[in-house]
Amino acid sequence: MTAIAVLGSTNMDLVAYVARAPGRGETVTGREFRTVPGGKGANQAVAAARAGGEVVMIGAVGTDEYGSLLRANLEHAGVDTDLLHTVAGPSGTAHIVVDDEGSNAIVVVPGANATVTALGPGEHAAIAAAGLLLLQLELPPAVVREGARAARTRGVRTILTPSPVQPLPAGLLDAVDLLVPNEHEAAALSGYGDPHAAAEILLRQVPEVVITLGAKGCLYAARGGEAIVFPAPEVTAVDTTGAGDTFVGTLAVALAEGRAVPEALAWASSAAALCVQRPGASTSMPYRSEIDAA
């Protein structure tokens, strides 16, 4: 089994469910509140582990109760947490509002994630031993770039989810093999709202791009080839919070197993479709047997 290293965030998701999200200066009454382990890094790690990957998590949690719960959630999914450090202070949190249409709005408070500013020998060794490295942008940009460069030096394939979208540090995309933005992130990074045009611009910086399009599926493009749109399964969404991370984590497993891109994207799309039919982020992610049966 090929190992997948995840360099990323762990957050406790504080989720409020409402009929509609409040506007600026407005108060609305919610119908339910849940506390759910999350963070883009941890979510992708859980998704990959549930999909059958051998996963090691690189990051940090705080000394609060959330830190213990976040670690336990990863370990329950089968993720190796030896490189998930505990640092003094609060863990990261994400404050999420989910409306009746399944859409969400999120505020992330980094907490312990902000302390991950450099990689030590253990982290470099874990990346070198992996077959694939997953990165996102909820850690300080400099350490994300360090991880990508470490992977490139050792011939490890790197997948970057550019979320939350922001100006990228110089040299980061030069060390990325596959970029997986959603359509809004792709537009912000490229300056083009049309996914095909955005992919064309992004391919000047990375060899491969997958732009996720929500219910419309995803667009795949590689240098020297034609862009292809792969449709998503038709389902009724309950909560889209963890869909993107489920897609990326599952896609990583499929690619690490050597599957062809069309098969890998179809498998990841099935996983994401299962995820959006359930509430929560990491708690909604499907297991390999469910994905295979979909």
Side-chain angles (χ1 to χ4, degrees):
M1 184 185 297
T2 301
I4 296 171
V6 181
L7 172 59
S9 60
T10 57
N11 294 321
M12 185 59 75
D13 292 347
L14 311 175
V15 190
Y17 294 89
V18 298
R20 64 174 182 83
R24 185 171 183 175
E26 181 183 13
T27 299
V28 300
T29 300
R31 66 171 182 277
E32 186 179 358
F33 174 78
R34 294 184 182 182
T35 303
V36 183
K40 296 197 71 63
N43 284 347
Q44 292 183 7
V46 169
R50 289 190 176 188
E54 178 185 336
V55 184
V56 57
M57 180 73 199
I58 303 170
V61 294
T63 48
D64 54 2
E65 182 182 4
Y66 289 158
S68 299
L69 294 172
L70 291 168
R71 183 182 298 277
N73 181 67
L74 286 162
E75 292 174 349
H76 180 73
V79 177
D80 182 337
T81 62
D82 286 351
L83 294 173
L84 181 65
H85 302 290
T86 299
V87 299
S91 301
T93 52
H95 306 257
I96 304 172
V97 175
V98 180
D99 66 25
D100 279 352
E101 295 181 358
S103 297
N104 61 72
I106 306 174
V107 176
V108 174
V109 181
N113 298 302
T115 70
V116 186
T117 56
L119 303 179
E123 286 78 17
H124 279 276
I127 292 171
L132 192 148
L133 173 66
L134 288 180
L135 298 166
Q136 319 79 33
L137 297 178
E138 287 184 344
L139 294 183
V143 79
V144 176
R145 179 176 58 190
E146 182 183 352
R149 287 179 170 177
R152 176 56 56 87
T153 299
R154 294 161 175 81
V156 176
R157 188 174 190 177
T158 299
I159 299 177
L160 171 65
T161 304
S163 177
V165 69
Q166 58 191 273
L168 301 178
L172 172 58
L173 290 184
D174 292 341
V176 170
D177 296 298
L178 172 61
L179 186 69
V180 189
N182 63 28
E183 54 191 321
H184 307 295
E185 293 155 357
L189 291 172
S190 69
Y192 287 86
D194 175 69
H196 286 82
E200 185 176 341
I201 296 297
L202 295 172
L203 286 176
R204 299 175 185 174
Q205 300 174 282
V206 295
E208 294 179 277
V209 176
V210 173
I211 300 176
T212 57
L213 307 172
K216 294 177 288 185
C218 65
L219 179 149
Y220 171 76
R223 289 174 180 168
E226 292 292 326
I228 304 172
V229 174
F230 292 85
E234 293 186 10
V235 298
T236 300
V238 172
D239 183 354
T240 62
T241 305
D245 294 329
T246 298
F247 179 89
V248 174
T250 310
L251 177 64
V253 173
L255 294 176
E257 292 176 350
R259 301 194 198 191
V261 169
E263 180 187 355
L265 291 173
W267 201 59
S269 295
S270 293
L274 289 168
C275 172
V276 301
Q277 296 178 73
R278 309 165 180 173
S282 61
T283 53
S284 67
M285 294 173 173
Y287 290 89
R288 188 181 185 101
S289 59
E290 297 176 286
I291 305 168
D292 287 340

